[in-house]
Amino acid sequence: MPVWTPKTLLFPFFIALGLIALPDRPLRADSAGYQKTLKSTAWVITSNAENETSAGTGVYVDAEKKLLLTNAHVIGESRKAVVFFPTQTAGKLAVRRKFYLNNILKLGIQGDVVAVDRKRDLALIQLPRVPSGIEAIEMADDSTTPGAKVALVGNPGDSEILWVYTAGTVRSVYQKKFKSTHGEHDFMALETQSPIKPGDSGGPIVDEDGKLVGLAQSFSPQSPLVSFCVDITEIRPMLDSPWKSAPLPAKVLLDEAGIEYTKHASGHYQIDRSVGSKTQAVFVAKNTEYHGRADIRRIWSTVQTTDQAPGETLLMRLMRQNTATKLGAWAVEKTASGYVIFYVAKLDATASDEALESTIDYVARLAAAMEQDLKPKPDQQTAQATLQAWLAE
């Protein structure tokens, strides 16, 4: 064991004093950065077609157009959002959710969702006004680098407190393609060593100068300290590109079109259409599908379920018919109970009410005709025999 002399004792003592004194400047810098970022941060509340609410965070990015940026998964299929900016009460920052909700008429701002990019998991909300003192955040020109210090201001859902500050460090910046519970994503990711919690999504990730370098998106299921953010190099193109209108939820679109429906046990929407003397059930998918900036609404009708796989001749005939149909195609799907033959159309999810109704009618008529053809005849015992007889005619 070493023998410590007074000289060796003094050295670590002064180092310790330095460690105590040095944080004064970084702490003041962090506080100033927090106050600066706070002026651009918002609490975002949305509601889906089933009146289920969700909440997240957003960042004010354009004062001229009054645009708030958040994640697409925060918005979901909602086309309206209630936005709260931080305010003070009794000279102090109000941080409790209940305070804002109790003062919603005074503090809440209803915004319109004007653009959604699901691939990047970004969405824009346009606001009619913003409170005084709110400022559009300054954006970095390019990506930050590994090892850089960053910070987040967010609204974690597991807390009654808003405007929570979280510090972190950049681990890496790279192209990330992955699936989440919110869909398929492909964007330049800013990976950080800092916890992001549900509710923080859409919050600003800022560098030491207070400039926006990313948007909080998700956290790793393997490590809660590893978080993924949308890099600034994805945010700038989103803001600069022409906005594509965000599609309405299926329920809202059906309601606005005056189309009667029932909600199926699967969650999809069932429309019963009369075709001649029979009723054909047509389904509209509850969620939209997308590829890049293309949003698609799926509409289909089941024709037959059988425990035997359709023969090669039938499949070839269905393929030939697919080349002649105006929209959509015949499909065969294997399920746990057998094989399903159905007709499916995929419509632009931003198409008009009239286009939706026309597509539903088209799917109903085509499916009803095929179902009639496949129906067993009196002298035949099985659906497979009907298929063979029908193909032989």
Side-chain angles (χ1 to χ4, degrees):
M1 180 180 294
V3 177
W4 300 105
T5 66
K7 183 177 180 181
T8 56
L9 281 171
L10 286 175
F11 182 71
F13 176 72
F14 284 119
I15 291 295
L17 285 179
L19 289 174
I20 294 171
L22 283 176
D24 281 350
R25 288 171 60 186
L27 283 175
R28 285 199 295 270
D30 288 350
S31 179
Y34 171 73
Q35 294 298 331
K36 181 179 179 181
T37 306
L38 190 64
K39 294 179 181 180
S40 307
T41 306
W43 182 31
V44 180
I45 301 176
T46 62
S47 175
N48 62 21
E50 306 302 323
N51 293 321
E52 298 169 335
T53 59
S54 60
T57 307
V59 55
Y60 193 49
V61 291
D62 191 319
E64 181 181 352
K65 297 176 182 176
K66 294 182 174 60
L67 295 177
L68 187 82
L69 178 71
T70 188
N71 289 133
H73 77 256
V74 170
I75 296 302
E77 289 198 332
S78 177
R79 294 301 161 255
K80 294 284 186 181
V82 176
V83 173
F84 294 94
F85 286 101
T87 190
Q88 290 194 344
T89 177
K92 294 184 178 180
L93 175 65
V95 296
R96 296 195 176 277
R97 295 171 185 266
K98 189 175 180 180
F99 171 82
Y100 290 89
L101 294 175
N102 288 344
N103 292 277
I104 187 171
L105 295 178
K106 179 182 177 182
L107 302 176
I109 302 171
Q110 189 178 53
D112 295 314
V113 179
V114 294
V116 171
D117 187 332
R118 292 187 179 87
K119 180 180 176 182
R120 293 185 174 113
D121 198 14
L122 298 176
L124 289 173
I125 303 169
Q126 193 160 37
L127 304 173
R129 58 182 176 81
V130 295
S132 61
I134 298 304
E135 300 175 0
I137 200 165
E138 186 178 358
M139 288 184 279
D141 294 326
D142 206 347
S143 303
T144 185
T145 56
K149 302 297 183 182
V150 291
L152 160 71
V153 178
N155 303 299
D158 61 355
S159 171
E160 283 300 312
I161 304 302
L162 302 174
W163 325 122
V164 174
Y165 174 88
T166 303
T169 306
V170 176
R171 288 165 53 92
S172 186
V173 181
Y174 57 96
Q175 193 71 29
K176 184 174 179 62
K177 187 174 183 178
F178 65 106
K179 291 183 179 180
S180 73
T181 54
H182 311 297
E184 297 181 0
H185 310 294
D186 186 358
F187 55 76
M188 186 65 70
L190 170 65
E191 184 176 309
T192 65
Q193 184 78 18
S194 59
I196 290 179
K197 297 183 178 181
D200 285 332
S201 295
I205 303 294
V206 298
D207 61 16
E208 291 184 290
D209 294 324
K211 294 183 179 180
L212 186 72
V213 293
L215 201 73
Q217 197 265 343
S218 61
F219 57 88
S220 170
Q222 285 76 38
S223 174
L225 288 179
V226 176
S227 300
F228 307 114
C229 312
V230 184
D231 189 62
I232 188 64
T233 56
E234 299 285 6
I235 293 171
R236 284 188 173 277
M238 166 71 168
L239 296 174
D240 295 338
S241 65
W243 302 338
K244 183 180 184 295
S245 298
L248 291 170
K251 182 180 185 301
V252 174
L253 185 61
L254 291 168
D255 287 340
E256 291 189 355
I259 298 173
E260 294 185 3
Y261 62 86
T262 57
K263 192 170 182 181
H264 190 262
S266 62
H268 301 300
Y269 299 95
Q270 179 176 336
I271 298 97
D272 293 327
R273 284 293 163 94
S274 296
V275 181
S277 59
K278 74 179 298 294
T279 299
Q280 189 69 30
V282 179
F283 295 90
V284 176
K286 59 183 178 181
N287 298 322
T288 55
E289 300 171 10
Y290 66 93
H291 178 74
R293 300 295 294 274
D295 294 284
I296 304 298
R297 201 178 302 280
R298 190 159 52 95
I299 303 164
W300 74 95
S301 184
T302 299
V303 172
Q304 187 183 71
T305 300
T306 175
D307 57 0
Q308 298 183 36
E312 181 180 350
T313 307
L314 172 59
L315 294 177
M316 290 301 296
R317 182 161 182 173
L318 292 177
M319 289 181 64
R320 288 195 299 271
Q321 286 195 10
N322 282 344
T323 64
T325 55
K326 292 183 175 66
L327 54 91
W330 289 102
V332 178
E333 206 169 275
K334 189 179 186 305
T335 67
S337 58
Y339 294 84
V340 180
I341 299 173
F342 62 100
Y343 188 80
V344 60
K346 293 190 175 183
L347 179 69
D348 183 347
T350 60
S352 65
D353 299 353
E354 293 81 2
L356 174 66
E357 185 144 22
S358 296
T359 303
I360 291 172
D361 286 338
Y362 185 79
V363 171
R365 286 191 292 106
L366 223 59
M370 177 66 79
E371 188 172 13
Q372 185 63 34
D373 283 337
L374 296 182
K375 188 176 294 183
K377 296 178 181 179
D379 59 339
Q380 294 171 325
Q381 299 301 313
T382 67
Q384 187 64 28
T386 301
L387 295 178
Q388 296 302 325
W390 172 60
L391 293 171
E393 291 177 356

